[in-house]
Amino acid sequence: MNYHVIAHTHWDREWHQTYQQYRVKLVRFMDELIQLLETNPAYISFMLDGQTIVLEDYLEIKPDNREKIEKLVQDERLLIGPWYIQPDEFIPSGESLIRNLLIGQQIADEFGPAMQIGYLPDSFGQAAQIPQVLHGFGIKNALFWRGITDEETNKTDFWWEGPDGSKVLTTHLPLGYGNGRMLSTDLEQNLKVIEENNKELKDMVNSTSMLLMCGFDQKSATKELPEIVEELNSHYSTIGSNSSVKISKLKDYFDSVQEEPQNLETIQGEFRKGKNMRVHVSIASTRLDLKKKNFEVQNLYEKYIEPLNTMSLLLGNNYDKDIINKGWKYMLQNHAHDSICNVCTDATHKEMEMRYEFAKQIGQTVQNDVTTDLINKIKFDYNKGIPLIVFNTLGHKRTNIVEATLHLKSKEFAIVDPKGNHIPYQIIETKKENLNDKQIEIGVKNEDQFVWTTNIKFLAEINGLGYKTFYIKENRSTNHDSTHIYQDGVFSNDYFQVKVQSNGSISVKERLTGKKYSNLNVFEEGGNAGDEYDFSPPREDMIITTKDSTPEIVVIHNGPIFATVKIVHTLQFPEDTDVNGRSKETKSSTIETLATINRHENRIDIRTVIDNTVKNHRIRALFESGLKASTHTADQQFGTICRENFLPQVEYWEEEKWEEKYYPIYPQQKFVNVSDEEQGLTIFNKGLPQYEILNGQEPTIALTLLCGTDYMGKQDLVDRPGRRSGLHVETPDSILYGNHEMEYSIMPHSGNLNDAKIGVTSNEYTAPMVAIPVYHQSEAGKFKDVNHFFALDNSQMAISAVKKCENDDSIIVRIYNTTNQELPIAMASVNTEFFNKIEVVDFNEILHPEADERIQLNESEIVLNDLKSNEIISFKLSR
């Protein structure tokens, strides 16, 4: 056997200590490592945990050591990258995973070659799209620890295939990333380490090579490793063994495995089974307040800042790439697997909050500035009134309700489109304000500026990525449709009829099929005896639901555009929960829901606010599908994934002594859908990344809204027996006392998932169009007041990114197939005023060596042929 000893460390940037506390240790670690590698040429290589952020963190303190690091990297003694930070694979968006690798490799390139291995040693499970993401960067190998079992494969090496057919040669670490960490100057101990690895792995390895990972969490380099290896080789030579040991690189190991490819099987899908090592299947429920912030900041950058900056660039303005990427970095720093999964101390979570706030401050400032610059390039017809410009930052033609805030001198006004047609609108709220109160006074008192501040909703249609200008005519009345959405106890639009039942639940009758859905948005509260890693019920739980509740129900808005009903439950919850049961003492909490039905949209939008007064419990919203189905579909990074409603492991995990319970509680991105070929039910969300499927083949969707716990780690949980995960330290912030707001939406539909265009609709829900009134007049603009730059003409395709290329002034557009089915043909179009050239690029935004013949540009029309399931395509547009 050939033993490849990989010298490494696993560096948690933050966890049970804060970033700065760990950085003190990092500086000492790096100082020692640099000296060791410089003074001992026999120490062939050291792997720096697959992430480049440690270089940034170290060099901020010790910038004078940059040249030393550069030399070590260039000599391939110090192996860095490819990630910016070791990510969780399920909660960050697909675009965030791409930016993590893009920024990581940019940093690595400043020093030397990046390690081209998809190194994921400690992520809590493996996402199905990782092979395609890695493949898009030209990375052909992956390595991970958690989530796979002998139910998938009994071998360490295999081809892992993504839903689009991308493959990466992958190694699984059954014994973790520290199976060689006990190597020392004691020969007998070293032989024992190798013997134990042989015993566990000899029948699992595919070749004559075996990995010994000599490192662990925050572990310094084993300085005597060259001597240890030499002594082991001398021992094997003395006894006549053909075994050999060497300090190696992961690339060398993969090269040796690939020499015997006939032994490799191909496996597809995600790996989330906690049989041999915990993946914490319910981890997505912890600190949902922070996970919601993550969604909001991701959405801000992906769906607004970059598309708006791209439009501005095309009209002749600058693109703030460097400051935008700084915002991305703050966000990505929170995507480390321990951080975004929120299994940290309160102090660490507070630092995460600040990074989200930094990213948000940068993003909102950039967005405000760029929209001003963009608007100044547009030639408005001020004779028509005050311009109200609406931006569509998605790539397809969309017709959606838009919300706008206007500051007008008149309480009466009309809105017209560019052709002068009157646009109906509905007022949400009107109040008189003095704008002087919102302006700085320098030296002198500003004059009063009394205006009517009016929030409205109206319908807008825009043909792709671009904008359209409406005009506000003050002191004009307009004729509004007198038909109100709510009449005689029923909310009606063109898609469905909605009733709010006396217990506050929602029932819907879908018009096209006549299908009725009942018991939608029923709240369920239960005890949580778990910790930050896992939800776990007490041995004797008390479940409280709103099925028999008598809430306050009142219609607070009703008009031709939308209607909103407020539902307020006041409930008594046990004050606390432990592993045995729930307390007898109770406290009152309220759950307030605003359900909005828009005339022109086939969704019921929900905004729920929970006033949380107790600890160690979980609140979910339940949605009965009323369908028979054995599987369902969820939104993953770039497209969808089909999952089982019932997992048989539920029945034998305890008998087989799994590390944790395996049951159908799953992560999601923007939606989960249950459907057959005739009808279905989708629940969209804004930053609520966890759901569970109840009742197996008659599925109910359970959406986690709030899950509080008082400790980082606990022992002997019902769903996770034995040792604790993390430390037994109090985390009072994770109790989540106080008010918490969450948003989600219900969409009943006819046909299957693809017929209903769920992928595109989810983007419309999570990224509403932006409406900005223009009060100042400028004569400098030269571009027309209606424009679109790019449009997808297929309802199954969506845009993931629109941004300036990192390498030149062209525009990067990244699109993906939102479905898990092949698309024979898809169409798109470009505005030839701005583009006449298209080039397919990889995720590093570098041209492919061979042209993709499936993609053709014919004047303004782009033809995309034979798109694979969930396929991602990036291309450059330029002139």
Side-chain angles (χ1 to χ4, degrees):
M1 185 66 70
N2 301 312
Y3 299 100
H4 293 255
V5 179
I6 308 298
H8 78 101
T9 190
H10 176 56
W11 202 268
D12 292 307
R13 190 173 188 256
E14 59 189 10
W15 180 26
H16 59 81
Q17 292 186 351
T18 65
Y19 154 55
Q20 297 295 355
Q21 288 170 324
Y22 273 134
R23 182 153 75 164
V24 173
K25 298 178 181 180
L26 174 67
V27 171
R28 295 173 182 173
F29 161 81
M30 286 294 296
D31 284 346
E32 293 175 1
L33 179 63
I34 292 169
Q35 182 181 24
L36 173 64
L37 294 177
E38 285 187 328
T39 57
N40 189 349
Y43 214 111
I44 295 171
S45 68
F46 188 92
M47 183 175 64
L48 207 53
D49 202 33
Q51 52 182 333
T52 56
I53 194 169
V54 291
L55 299 179
E56 284 191 336
D57 293 343
Y58 173 71
L59 290 173
E60 187 179 353
I61 307 299
K62 296 284 186 82
D64 292 343
N65 282 342
R66 185 180 183 92
E67 289 185 5
K68 293 181 180 181
I69 292 175
E70 287 176 356
K71 187 175 189 315
L72 291 170
V73 172
Q74 289 161 12
D75 292 343
E76 297 191 33
R77 306 275 311 287
L78 187 61
L79 306 177
I80 63 172
W83 299 99
Y84 179 55
I85 197 164
Q86 276 289 342
D88 175 70
E89 297 175 36
F90 290 102
I91 297 170
S93 68
E95 195 58 39
S96 291
L97 290 176
I98 286 180
R99 301 309 175 88
N100 195 332
L101 279 167
L102 179 63
I103 291 173
Q105 299 210 79
Q106 286 174 342
I107 293 170
D109 288 344
E110 297 174 8
F111 296 88
M115 182 179 73
Q116 294 299 297
I117 308 289
Y119 185 62
L120 294 158
D122 203 23
S123 298
F124 301 127
Q126 318 304 319
Q129 275 288 26
I130 292 297
Q132 186 176 187
V133 170
L134 295 176
H135 197 266
F137 284 94
I139 297 173
K140 300 176 181 178
N141 305 123
L143 180 145
F144 64 79
W145 173 24
R146 301 178 190 261
I148 201 166
T149 73
D150 53 7
E151 294 182 349
E152 289 76 42
T153 181
N154 58 3
K155 296 297 182 181
T156 55
D157 308 298
F158 53 90
W159 290 104
W160 185 13
E161 184 176 78
D164 72 319
S166 299
K167 289 184 179 182
V168 288
L169 178 59
T170 302
T171 288
H172 163 230
L173 298 173
L175 304 180
Y177 53 81
N179 65 321
R181 70 182 183 275
M182 299 306 292
L183 292 174
S184 69
T185 54
D186 183 337
L187 177 62
E188 291 303 315
Q189 177 175 312
N190 296 338
L191 292 173
K192 183 179 179 181
V193 168
I194 292 177
E195 181 183 345
E196 289 174 348
N197 274 277
N198 269 327
K199 180 181 177 182
E200 296 290 333
L201 301 177
K202 66 179 180 179
D203 294 330
M204 299 182 69
V205 296
N206 298 68
S207 66
T208 56
S209 295
M210 184 182 293
L211 280 174
L212 294 177
M213 305 294 291
C214 186
F216 206 62
D217 296 2
Q218 265 74 15
K219 187 179 184 301
S220 297
T222 303
K223 295 180 181 180
E224 305 84 4
L225 195 56
E227 292 77 19
I228 292 169
V229 167
E230 183 179 358
E231 185 179 27
L232 282 167
N233 282 322
S234 175
H235 169 79
Y236 288 130
S237 176
T238 300
I239 65 174
S241 169
N242 61 358
S243 294
S244 67
V245 186
K246 69 173 182 177
I247 300 176
S248 187
K249 306 179 180 71
L250 287 179
K251 180 183 183 302
D252 298 332
Y253 171 78
F254 279 110
D255 287 346
S256 67
V257 171
Q258 203 157 359
E259 290 176 0
E260 304 174 53
Q262 69 275 10
N263 296 329
L264 300 173
E265 57 186 317
T266 298
I267 304 174
Q268 297 176 322
E270 61 185 1
F271 308 124
R272 300 182 61 251
K273 293 179 180 176
K275 180 179 182 179
N276 305 311
M277 177 48 62
R278 298 167 178 175
V279 297
H280 308 294
V281 291
S282 57
I283 203 168
S285 65
T286 306
R287 286 303 298 263
L288 285 171
D289 58 332
L290 288 175
K291 290 181 171 70
K292 180 185 175 187
K293 287 180 186 291
N294 178 70
F295 162 80
E296 291 169 348
V297 177
Q298 281 181 164
N299 211 43
L300 175 64
Y301 278 74
E302 295 173 21
K303 300 300 189 245
Y304 297 104
I305 294 170
E306 291 186 335
L308 288 169
N309 268 268
T310 299
M311 294 183 208
S312 183
L313 175 66
L314 292 171
L315 298 191
N317 295 314
N318 293 325
Y319 186 103
D320 298 317
K321 177 172 73 75
D322 294 329
I323 191 65
I324 291 172
N325 284 346
K326 182 63 175 178
W328 269 105
K329 282 186 174 183
Y330 279 127
M331 176 169 43
L332 292 173
Q333 287 163 16
N334 286 346
H335 286 180
H337 53 289
D338 291 318
S339 303
I340 190 63
C341 290
N342 301 120
V343 293
C344 305
T345 62
D346 282 353
T348 298
H349 287 149
K350 283 183 170 69
E351 292 190 1
M352 287 181 64
E353 286 188 79
M354 286 308 303
R355 287 195 289 269
Y356 283 132
E357 188 61 28
F358 291 157
K360 186 176 179 182
Q361 290 170 2
I362 289 171
Q364 289 179 337
T365 304
V366 169
Q367 182 176 344
N368 291 339
D369 289 348
V370 77
T371 49
T372 299
D373 295 341
L374 202 166
I375 286 168
N376 286 337
K377 292 287 185 177
I378 298 172
K379 185 176 183 179
F380 297 110
D381 186 350
Y382 296 104
N383 293 323
K384 294 180 180 178
I386 297 171
L388 177 61
I389 185 168
V390 178
F391 293 98
N392 175 14
T393 58
L394 303 181
H396 60 275
K397 178 179 180 179
R398 60 189 295 195
T399 305
N400 291 121
I401 298 294
V402 183
E403 188 169 330
T405 299
L406 312 177
H407 301 298
L408 303 175
K409 296 177 181 178
S410 169
K411 199 173 182 180
E412 297 290 327
F413 59 93
I415 299 176
V416 298
D417 67 13
K419 296 181 179 179
N421 300 310
H422 278 257
I423 301 297
Y425 65 87
Q426 184 176 331
I427 293 175
I428 303 170
E429 182 183 22
T430 299
K431 58 184 177 182
K432 200 160 192 177
E433 288 187 316
N434 187 353
L435 294 184
N436 180 32
D437 296 336
K438 301 178 180 181
Q439 297 174 347
I440 295 175
E441 293 183 327
I442 301 176
V444 295
K445 179 182 176 181
N446 295 338
E447 293 183 5
D448 290 334
Q449 300 179 61
F450 288 102
V451 297
W452 290 101
T453 297
T454 305
N455 297 329
I456 64 168
K457 287 186 178 182
F458 64 99
L459 186 69
E461 179 181 274
I462 301 182
N463 297 324
L465 179 77
Y467 59 84
K468 182 176 183 178
T469 305
F470 298 82
Y471 289 92
I472 305 164
K473 295 179 176 288
E474 292 189 286
N475 296 306
R476 299 283 185 90
S477 61
T478 186
N479 293 323
H480 292 294
D481 189 342
S482 60
T483 304
H484 286 194
I485 288 176
Y486 178 74
Q487 294 184 40
D488 301 324
V490 178
F491 299 87
S492 299
N493 64 15
D494 294 339
Y495 303 97
F496 43 64
Q497 291 181 322
V498 176
K499 290 185 179 180
V500 178
Q501 304 300 327
S502 60
N503 66 359
S505 69
I506 294 171
S507 61
V508 182
K509 181 179 180 180
E510 206 266 332
R511 288 190 184 277
L512 194 59
T513 63
K515 167 71 177 175
K516 295 181 180 179
Y517 299 87
S518 301
N519 295 320
L520 304 178
N521 205 44
V522 172
F523 296 109
E524 175 203 81
E525 190 267 358
N528 177 24
D531 52 25
E532 287 189 327
Y533 287 85
D534 285 294
F535 164 81
S536 186
R539 292 187 179 95
E540 294 186 15
D541 204 355
M542 178 191 298
I543 302 297
I544 298 167
T545 79
T546 57
K547 285 185 177 179
D548 298 319
S549 180
T550 54
E552 173 192 349
I553 302 172
V554 59
V555 176
I556 59 173
H557 294 291
N558 187 23
I561 305 293
F562 74 97
T564 299
V565 59
K566 182 167 75 171
I567 306 157
V568 182
H569 298 273
T570 301
L571 304 167
Q572 294 291 322
F573 297 145
E575 284 189 9
D576 199 0
T577 301
D578 61 25
V579 72
N580 292 314
R582 309 195 68 184
S583 64
K584 294 180 180 179
E585 298 79 17
T586 65
K587 283 187 177 180
S588 176
S589 289
T590 60
I591 302 177
E592 178 181 297
T593 294
L594 298 179
T596 298
I597 295 90
N598 296 311
R599 178 174 299 283
H600 305 287
E601 293 181 327
N602 55 350
R603 309 184 315 260
I604 303 157
D605 293 342
I606 307 291
R607 186 187 301 266
T608 292
V609 178
I610 297 173
D611 175 22
N612 185 38
T613 60
V614 305
K615 63 180 181 179
N616 294 328
H617 72 145
R618 179 179 69 177
I619 299 176
R620 305 194 290 185
L622 307 184
F623 307 88
E624 291 184 8
S625 71
L627 299 170
K628 293 187 181 299
S630 60
T631 62
H632 66 280
T633 303
D635 186 40
Q636 64 174 341
Q637 292 101 345
F638 305 111
T640 58
I641 184 167
C642 184
R643 291 168 169 153
E644 299 294 324
N645 292 349
F646 173 77
L647 297 175
Q649 291 84 359
V650 171
E651 298 179 343
Y652 61 76
W653 74 276
E654 287 181 290
E655 180 183 344
E656 292 191 357
K657 298 187 181 333
W658 284 38
E659 286 281 322
E660 63 184 6
K661 181 179 179 179
Y662 186 57
Y663 61 112
I665 192 166
Y666 295 107
Q668 64 178 336
Q669 288 288 312
K670 298 184 291 293
F671 67 83
V672 57
N673 170 273
V674 173
S675 63
D676 54 29
E677 290 301 308
E678 296 180 359
Q679 61 254 320
L681 179 70
T682 300
I683 306 300
F684 301 111
N685 77 88
K686 294 183 180 181
L688 297 170
Q690 185 186 87
Y691 69 94
E692 183 179 353
I693 297 296
L694 308 177
N695 304 327
Q697 295 196 0
E698 297 181 358
T700 291
I701 297 169
L703 180 68
T704 306
L705 304 182
L706 183 144
C707 190
T709 183
D710 54 357
Y711 274 85
M712 177 195 287
K714 298 178 182 178
Q715 296 176 341
D716 297 316
L717 304 182
V718 171
D719 287 354
R720 198 194 71 210
R723 68 171 179 86
R724 69 172 182 267
S725 292
L727 294 180
H728 189 62
V729 297
E730 290 186 84
T731 54
D733 289 352
S734 289
I735 295 171
L736 298 181
Y737 285 132
N739 284 332
H740 297 275
E741 180 183 289
M742 53 285 298
E743 293 180 77
Y744 47 99
S745 187
I746 306 166
M747 179 180 165
H749 62 82
S750 60
N752 61 28
L753 178 79
N754 298 334
D755 296 333
K757 307 173 186 177
I758 298 297
V760 166
T761 305
S762 70
N763 288 328
E764 293 179 349
Y765 171 65
T766 54
M769 292 191 278
V770 177
I772 300 175
V774 182
Y775 301 110
H776 67 279
Q777 293 195 14
S778 172
E779 304 302 326
K782 63 178 182 179
F783 289 92
K784 56 189 178 183
D785 61 358
V786 178
N787 225 330
H788 83 276
F789 305 94
F790 173 88
L792 282 168
D793 298 330
N794 186 293
S795 60
Q796 311 297 356
M797 299 294 296
I799 279 184
S800 172
V802 179
K803 62 183 287 287
K804 180 183 178 295
C805 180
E806 299 290 313
N807 311 311
D808 56 44
D809 289 332
S810 60
I811 301 302
I812 295 292
V813 177
R814 187 161 18 259
I815 62 175
Y816 64 98
N817 179 357
T818 66
T819 76
N820 54 15
Q821 297 180 2
E822 295 183 358
L823 295 179
I825 189 169
M827 307 295 293
S829 61
V830 297
N831 187 331
T832 55
E833 181 180 357
F834 303 99
F835 307 116
N836 63 5
K837 186 178 181 182
I838 184 171
E839 298 170 289
V840 179
V841 296
D842 64 14
F843 294 167
N844 273 316
E845 303 178 7
I846 298 171
L847 290 180
H848 279 297
E850 297 180 6
D852 192 333
E853 300 296 335
R854 298 177 304 159
I855 301 172
Q856 302 290 334
L857 175 62
N858 303 316
E859 295 183 353
S860 65
E861 186 177 75
I862 301 174
V863 182
L864 304 107
N865 293 299
D866 301 321
L867 295 177
K868 301 167 188 172
S869 163
N870 297 58
E871 184 175 9
I872 315 161
I873 296 176
S874 296
F875 49 83
K876 289 203 304 186
L877 294 176
S878 60
R879 283 195 66 83

